[in-house]
Amino acid sequence: MTATAPTLADLLDRLHVVALPMRVRFRGITTRELALIEGPGGWGEFGAFVEYEPPEAAHWLASGIEAAYGEPPPVRRDRIPINATVPAVPAAGVPEVLARFPGARTAKVKVAEPGQNLADDVDRVNAVRELVGTVRVDANGGWTLEEATRAAEALTADGPLEYLEQPCATIAELAELRRRTSVPIAADESIRKAQDPLAVARAGAADIAVLKVAPLGGVLALLKIAEQIDIPVVVSSALDSAVGIGTGLAAAAALPELHHACGLGTGGLFVEDVAEPSPPVDGYLPVRPATPDPERLRTLSASADRRQWWIERVKACYPLLYRRSGDQSGLRRQGDR
């Protein structure tokens, strides 16, 4: 799946910038902006969140280039189990959200939302439990160690949790929480934002690794980390469009083993997407790439000033992808030597 490095001019010529309206606020936004790359190998996605600076966003660009200019990996399965994703909605709104994930047997529930409290989280999780058998929660590093300890107890008072995803921000806190609670701990930001993505496993700080293709620099990078990290892997979306979801499904399909449902059903969070989403069947999504519909690309196109913003962002990230100035022999992850 080695990608031929494109010139900057060729990359910009193939860029489509879109703004996808969302059904509910998620990660603090109601419109998801991202850039798509129409490459010789297919479609790639560059969707680093707007607050990310070039050193971090460059991973996401590398992933988009890999998908657009490379070849997909060999797959071991043709469908992937997915979890429903429940934003930090009131408990009364849970049934409406879950209705977008027909057949899902697992749900990931957002918790530790700014402006909410633990009681809100408990109510939301219990509302989900009434409809879905397996529940996991994601705090995005929003709790202190003491808060996470209390939350683990409160959130399991009425039933088990599959795992707590990134309950605290630091590896040291995750390791200590893992000693304090019997609830399995999953790491996300402590892997994808770390200089050393394997540090969390070496520290004994997680039972499960949540891996996202784009922040890690592409499918090859994800598969390499999965091979080395020696704990079960969940492949998840980074609020991707249908294009990015297709890449995530390919990554999950290429893993030697897959023991947990993956967080790749987030297409249901969008009012409109660049391609007609594949509906889950019995809680599974088929493994296939997404090809954007030309009419959707037109109607979802971002404004001219936002398109220019993304062009400038690509220009800032592009030089960080190569081993040295003028060397376009191979893409690399930021920090490789």
Side-chain angles (χ1 to χ4, degrees):
M1 193 180 169
T2 302
T4 301
T7 65
L8 177 58
D10 184 63
L11 185 60
L12 294 177
D13 190 52
R14 297 174 180 272
L15 210 66
H16 301 259
V17 180
V18 295
L20 308 181
M22 302 180 63
R23 297 182 187 278
V24 295
R25 180 176 295 275
F26 191 84
R27 244 190 133 267
I29 60 174
T30 55
T31 300
R32 176 70 164 117
E33 282 189 356
L34 48 84
L36 301 175
I37 306 165
E38 185 179 5
W43 285 81
E45 180 172 316
F46 173 42
F49 297 116
V50 295
E51 69 269 21
Y52 289 3
E53 296 297 326
E56 186 171 0
H59 300 324
W60 302 60
L61 182 58
S63 176
I65 291 174
E66 179 189 75
Y69 289 82
E71 298 177 359
V75 298
R76 301 169 185 261
R77 51 193 69 83
D78 61 7
R79 63 177 193 160
I80 303 298
I82 62 161
N83 65 249
T85 299
V86 180
V89 297
V94 164
E96 179 183 355
V97 172
L98 290 178
R100 303 181 197 127
F101 302 90
R105 299 170 177 85
T106 300
K108 179 170 83 169
V109 184
K110 289 292 184 178
V111 293
E113 181 80 359
Q116 297 185 5
N117 57 42
L118 183 55
D120 297 321
D121 295 337
V122 170
D123 288 346
R124 186 181 312 112
V125 166
N126 284 338
V128 172
R129 280 198 180 102
E130 292 180 4
L131 299 171
V132 177
T134 301
V135 181
R136 55 181 69 155
V137 301
D138 182 9
N140 291 114
W143 288 320
T144 66
L145 176 59
E146 297 305 323
E147 288 171 338
T149 303
R150 290 194 296 271
E153 181 177 357
L155 291 169
T156 55
D158 299 305
L161 288 177
E162 184 183 19
Y163 58 71
L164 290 166
E165 181 175 332
Q166 200 67 46
C168 304
T170 71
I171 290 176
E173 289 173 316
L174 296 183
E176 176 57 28
L177 180 63
R178 192 163 175 252
R179 288 187 284 269
R180 293 186 182 189
T181 180
S182 61
V183 182
I185 304 299
D188 174 10
E189 287 89 344
S190 289
I191 296 172
R192 64 180 168 90
K193 287 180 171 285
Q195 286 294 320
D196 179 1
L198 305 180
V200 70
R202 282 198 298 268
D207 302 280
I208 294 159
V210 178
L211 303 184
K212 299 177 179 178
V213 173
L216 293 173
V219 173
L220 287 181
L222 182 149
L223 294 177
K224 183 177 180 181
I225 291 169
E227 180 183 0
Q228 296 175 315
I229 206 163
D230 199 32
I231 54 177
V233 165
V234 171
V235 179
S236 191
S237 160
L239 201 53
D240 303 325
S241 76
V243 170
I245 293 294
T247 306
L249 290 167
L255 289 169
E257 297 181 357
L258 188 64
H259 300 291
H260 299 273
C262 288
L264 296 170
T266 54
L269 298 175
F270 297 125
V271 177
E272 293 288 343
D273 205 339
V274 295
E276 185 67 30
S278 298
V281 177
D282 295 329
Y284 288 78
L285 281 177
V287 177
R288 60 180 179 228
T291 301
D293 176 80
E295 180 62 20
R296 289 177 182 237
L297 283 177
R298 186 186 66 79
T299 59
L300 295 170
S301 180
S303 63
D305 63 320
R306 295 306 300 165
R307 172 178 169 77
Q308 188 60 41
W309 187 90
W310 280 89
I311 287 173
E312 296 303 322
R313 195 179 202 197
V314 170
K315 290 179 179 178
C317 292
Y318 180 85
L320 304 178
L321 300 181
Y322 302 101
R323 296 188 183 278
R324 57 183 179 273
S325 180
D327 176 11
Q328 298 185 4
S329 60
L331 296 171
R332 67 175 179 92
R333 291 187 65 233
Q334 187 73 12
D336 286 354
R337 296 289 185 267

